[in-house]
Amino acid sequence: GSFIFMLMFALGGGGGGDLLDFTDTNTYWVARGQRVLDVQTMSAVLADDQASAPDKLMAIRALGEMGKAANADPALKTNALAVLGPLIDSKEPFVGQYAKRSIAWIKGQDPLPTPTVSAKDLAADLAILPHTSSIVGQLRVQNGVGPVNWDTLLPGFKGEMAEQKKQMIGEANQGILQIVGMIGNVRLDSVTVGFNFFENTTDDGYAVVVARGQYDRVAVQLAFQDLAEKEREDEGWSFYSIGDIEVVSKEDEWSPIVILMPSDQQIIFIGGENRQGLKMYPIDEIADLIKKGDGQPTFNAAVTAQISKIDREKADAWVAMQVPAFLKNGGDISQVLGPFNAGRAVAVRDSEGSFDVTWQAEGDDPAAIGEVVTMLNEELSETRAEIRQQAAQEPQMKEIFEPMLKMMDSMKIQANGKNMNGSMKLPGGLGAMLPMFGMQMRPEAPIQQIRPQEALEVE
């Protein structure tokens, strides 16, 4: 759950919500066998009825990038604008948005961001989550910022690590192009997540993820059918409809999944780790909630109370939870969560794409809460010192350690009677993932030096 929430931050902090934003124009066209990029060639792509939708979008983007270049010929700009102008009112998905963005680039203007998802739609997505969800969260993705600059999102990979960075970007581009080739472009506007646990004493359960944006649900369904056929696992796959909702499911002994596609603007994933199978997923109930569409979320009293204390209009991301019994009563994590019954966290994005995060956890025993806060601050202080020592020993990792330290130095944890309050500055984009990258990229990450109570945090 924490990994998914961190990934939500990575998506939401300035990286763009379009899948095509994560590959650069030259890489795309080289992969397509097109090595000449000029107005004439890109115009021919747009005029070709047989051209794929991603090809047309990348042709529009290429025209904008050529026109905004510092040394762009005025005639080139004029010709590019003449091609792009009629596309503004196109009914094809993404085309009008891409045309407006490219025209703004050529004219030296900042493109207007894609309209944010409405409060009504966010409430409707929240209402789809099962009423039994004990942890719920929501994120609005920052869109309209243009193609991703991988150098900005992955700083610190220089010197001997430059080749590893190049390989990572190459693999990412290859994966993106493969997905785009199967299902076309995808835009993500918001993500809503709910976690459910079958029993109070086990972590068996499932997550419901509601993604809102723009995609081609027919292409997605065909892609899954093709996957099922290629893997020759047809017995585990099912393809059917519940009214107007297209459904794809995959039975699995440990991790069954279900995907519901009510429209080209909304897709719902249900998946988890359980030994109960698909029958334990509330598929029909969620389908009924989608059809109902009244935007009235209903959860248990503890979760509802936490949500009521969040200003969802201003929050770019938030999470509310009732602490599950198995987290309070078992394992090392109970040392931290044991005194708490419920809590919430809120993140507001700043102008640079980072998040100002605040949280509050609520319990009944001030003394126990004070002990937890003291322990966490001691661990935080020790970890800061260890990272600084490691940074001094590995200067080539400086640009990875610095944002980690900046993030940890910003973290404040305080006891306030029956509450624990906290705040921190979380870098947006893939900067939120730098600690993970740092551990994976270090030649000899000293995992063996980590004390037992910290091992769970690393996992």
Side-chain angles (χ1 to χ4, degrees):
S2 61
F3 174 78
I4 290 176
F5 197 56
M6 186 69 77
L7 183 60
M8 289 165 63
F9 275 119
L11 288 168
D18 268 36
L19 187 58
L20 282 174
D21 279 347
F22 287 85
T23 188
D24 69 271
T25 306
N26 287 329
T27 298
Y28 180 89
W29 285 113
V30 167
R32 299 288 288 145
Q34 177 62 257
R35 296 180 179 273
V36 177
L37 302 185
D38 54 29
V39 174
Q40 183 178 358
T41 304
M42 295 297 98
S43 298
V45 172
L46 291 169
D48 184 358
D49 293 336
Q50 302 301 314
S52 69
D55 279 359
K56 291 183 178 181
L57 295 177
M58 292 303 286
I60 294 171
R61 192 170 107 182
L63 289 171
E65 291 175 350
M66 286 186 282
K68 75 174 180 179
N71 60 347
D73 186 274
L76 182 152
K77 294 185 177 185
T78 300
N79 292 336
L81 289 172
V83 174
L84 294 170
L87 301 177
I88 290 177
D89 298 321
S90 172
K91 302 301 181 183
E92 294 182 57
F94 305 106
V95 170
Q97 168 197 341
Y98 272 55
K100 290 176 183 177
R101 185 173 69 178
S102 286
I103 289 172
W105 285 342
I106 295 172
K107 292 182 176 181
Q109 302 168 350
D110 290 329
L112 293 175
T114 303
T116 56
V117 63
S118 70
K120 180 180 179 181
D121 285 340
L122 289 172
D125 289 349
L126 194 62
I128 292 173
L129 300 181
H131 300 165
T132 55
S133 300
S134 56
I135 305 174
V136 299
Q138 201 160 53
L139 165 77
R140 290 186 294 187
V141 176
Q142 187 178 31
N143 272 315
V145 295
V148 165
N149 184 331
W150 283 96
D151 287 328
T152 300
L153 290 181
L154 289 176
F157 293 84
K158 298 180 179 179
E160 64 185 34
M161 297 172 61
E163 189 60 33
Q164 292 173 300
K165 174 181 176 179
K166 183 179 179 181
Q167 181 180 348
M168 289 171 62
I169 295 174
E171 291 175 353
N173 273 298
Q174 184 177 2
I176 290 167
L177 293 176
Q178 186 175 9
I179 295 172
V180 167
M182 292 188 295
I183 65 173
N185 190 37
V186 176
R187 188 186 73 241
L188 186 65
D189 293 330
S190 65
V191 180
T192 303
V193 184
F195 295 94
N196 299 262
F197 304 97
F198 293 134
E199 299 177 15
N200 290 334
T201 57
T202 175
D203 59 355
D204 271 11
Y206 63 94
V208 176
V209 182
V210 184
R212 182 175 289 275
Q214 181 73 48
Y215 74 108
D216 185 340
R217 66 171 178 166
V218 173
V220 170
Q221 188 176 35
L222 291 174
F224 277 113
Q225 289 175 344
D226 185 54
L227 177 64
E229 183 177 341
K230 286 181 178 178
E231 292 188 352
R232 297 182 179 179
E233 296 181 356
D234 298 30
E235 294 182 2
W237 292 89
S238 296
F239 301 88
Y240 59 98
S241 300
I242 302 177
D244 294 331
I245 302 172
E246 300 295 336
V247 183
V248 177
S249 68
K250 176 69 167 65
E251 185 66 85
D252 182 90
E253 182 179 0
W254 296 102
S255 305
I257 63 169
V258 177
I259 301 173
L260 296 90
M261 294 175 282
S263 70
D264 288 344
Q265 288 75 46
Q266 192 182 53
I267 186 169
I268 296 93
F269 301 87
I270 311 173
E273 185 169 324
N274 70 84
R275 289 168 281 276
Q276 311 293 330
L278 289 170
K279 63 182 180 181
M280 293 302 295
Y281 292 162
I283 301 171
D284 291 332
E285 290 88 337
I286 291 176
D288 288 340
L289 290 170
I290 294 171
K291 295 174 187 176
K292 190 177 181 182
D294 64 358
Q296 298 297 322
T298 305
F299 304 104
N300 67 45
V303 173
T304 300
Q306 294 300 314
I307 293 176
S308 69
K309 299 174 183 178
I310 297 171
D311 187 344
R312 289 186 280 151
E313 291 280 349
K314 295 181 179 179
D316 290 293
W318 60 266
V319 63
M321 71 180 293
Q322 177 185 38
V323 181
F326 76 90
L327 291 179
K328 286 174 60 73
N329 303 324
D332 291 338
I333 195 66
S334 64
Q335 297 178 36
V336 175
L337 296 182
F340 301 105
N341 302 320
R344 64 190 179 277
V346 176
V348 178
R349 187 185 293 111
D350 64 20
S351 59
E352 298 179 352
S354 295
F355 292 93
D356 292 310
V357 184
T358 57
W359 67 85
Q360 179 169 297
E362 302 173 357
D364 299 317
D365 187 342
I369 292 171
E371 291 176 3
V372 167
V373 170
T374 298
M375 177 186 69
L376 290 176
N377 279 315
E378 289 175 353
E379 290 291 338
L380 187 59
S381 179
E382 292 177 14
T383 303
R384 287 173 181 142
E386 290 172 1
I387 293 178
R388 284 191 166 86
Q389 181 181 9
Q390 197 72 43
Q393 295 172 354
E394 301 182 43
Q396 74 276 15
M397 301 288 290
K398 177 182 177 181
E399 292 189 54
I400 288 179
F401 283 121
E402 281 186 347
M404 291 171 62
L405 283 169
K406 187 175 180 180
M407 179 176 66
M408 298 186 74
D409 285 341
S410 73
M411 192 179 300
K412 311 296 180 186
I413 308 173
Q414 300 174 325
N416 182 16
K418 296 182 179 181
N419 298 327
M420 176 181 73
N421 298 323
S423 63
M424 66 181 294
K425 172 77 77 171
L426 184 66
L430 292 179
M433 309 296 281
L434 278 177
M436 289 189 219
F437 284 128
M439 293 299 292
Q440 292 175 1
M441 298 293 285
R442 285 161 60 188
E444 296 180 1
I447 299 296
Q448 68 277 8
Q449 297 178 10
I450 297 177
R451 294 181 297 280
Q453 65 266 32
E454 291 177 335
L456 181 62
E457 297 172 14
V458 172
E459 287 191 1

